[in-house]
Amino acid sequence: MAPERSKNSGTPRTRTEKVHHALRSAIIEQRLAPGSRLPEDAIGESFGTSRTIAREALGRLAVEGLVDLIPNRGAFVANPSLEDGRGIFTVRRALERAMVLELVGKIDAAAAARLREMVAREAALAARNDAEAIRLAGEFHLTLAQMTGNPLLLRYVTETVSRCSLVLAMYGRPHSADCGAREHSAIVEALISGDADGAAALMDQHLAEVASRALLSSRVEKDIREVLSAYAKEIDLS
């Protein structure tokens, strides 16, 4: 069997990368619940690796914001609040707008085919598996960042996408992931046509919609009387 390859470099994945990838998927798919403890020995035993490799993988996940490393207590799956989620999406929208503008002129025929294929896979899974759709959606954005050829931008987009994926898994309300696939398709076609402003606007709107679907839109404070009026109608206090 051919060795597993790293998505970004095409080189074989190290053992640390494989453990990191597996843990990342388990967290984003919420197989490992937010706040769960992540003992190095249990991770090493599960994957048949050393505690050193487990520690390195957890360190990478901490950089991505998926794991909290607490001194004298150990590693835990991150447990971001809704307020944290709103802040993460604000940063991500700014980063990915810059990313899209940098991509103009870099989408050749091979890149276009790759992006269209990714969107097709995402659309095919949309109705069947929300967790997998979240993962594929994240991969789409990371692929765009990779295509810019800007290592620093890739690093920051990777971190924000990882954090947003966890927020979506925790707080996302049920919806058809086909919405995201259609939005991705529109972004791809704008990039292929060289429409920088259009692609940037589409990306910004797409991330705003994703945040909205994740219950991250700001809550409007209601007057207590408005809230209780419906309940009051159902009881008789005479």
Side-chain angles (χ1 to χ4, degrees):
M1 180 181 294
E4 187 180 2
R5 302 277 165 174
S6 170
K7 289 184 182 298
N8 291 337
S9 65
T11 57
R13 275 192 173 134
T14 65
R15 299 181 78 185
T16 298
E17 287 173 333
K18 291 176 182 178
V19 173
H20 164 250
H21 180 76
L23 288 172
R24 185 179 187 276
S25 296
I27 291 170
I28 289 174
E29 293 172 9
Q30 283 209 289
R31 303 294 179 88
L32 293 171
S36 298
R37 190 167 180 272
L38 300 169
E40 293 172 4
D41 54 351
I43 293 170
E45 183 179 338
S46 298
F47 292 106
T49 61
S50 67
R51 292 185 59 170
T52 299
I53 287 177
R55 188 178 306 119
E56 290 173 352
L58 290 171
R60 295 187 183 197
L61 291 167
V63 170
E64 293 179 17
L66 295 180
V67 165
D68 292 329
L69 300 178
I70 303 176
N72 302 319
R73 290 189 59 199
F76 297 81
V77 176
N79 190 15
S81 66
L82 276 174
E83 192 59 35
D84 294 333
R86 294 187 187 101
I88 293 165
F89 267 96
T90 296
V91 172
R92 182 175 173 183
R93 286 174 69 178
L95 275 174
E96 296 211 33
R97 183 178 181 85
M99 174 185 76
V100 166
L101 292 174
E102 192 165 333
L103 268 176
V104 176
K106 297 181 180 179
I107 306 297
D108 56 18
R114 181 182 177 191
L115 291 172
R116 284 170 170 157
E117 180 185 359
M118 292 188 76
V119 171
R121 283 174 53 216
E122 188 182 345
L125 279 171
R128 300 203 301 271
N129 189 331
D130 257 1
E132 181 70 0
I134 288 173
R135 185 184 67 79
L136 287 177
E139 286 187 6
F140 171 81
H141 289 266
L142 295 183
T143 297
L144 291 180
Q146 179 189 351
M147 287 179 174
T148 67
N150 184 328
L152 194 58
L153 184 58
L154 174 59
R155 173 186 168 187
Y156 289 136
V157 170
T158 297
E159 181 177 340
T160 55
V161 167
S162 294
R163 290 172 185 255
C164 287
S165 293
L166 178 58
V167 170
L168 288 169
M170 291 175 63
Y171 300 112
R173 61 183 171 221
H175 71 277
S176 172
D178 185 51
C179 298
R182 286 198 302 270
E183 291 159 10
H184 286 172
S185 180
I187 292 166
V188 168
E189 297 310 316
L191 284 170
I192 292 172
S193 69
D195 182 3
D197 291 338
L202 285 167
M203 178 63 82
D204 192 61
Q205 180 61 31
H206 165 57
L207 293 177
E209 290 294 330
V210 171
S212 174
R213 291 195 290 266
L215 300 179
L216 293 174
S217 53
S218 297
R219 296 179 180 179
V220 178
E221 290 288 334
K222 293 184 177 179
D223 188 281
I224 189 170
R225 288 160 294 199
E226 179 185 351
V227 174
L228 296 180
S229 61
Y231 297 89
K233 292 175 182 177
E234 306 206 4
I235 60 176
D236 183 2
L237 295 179
S238 59

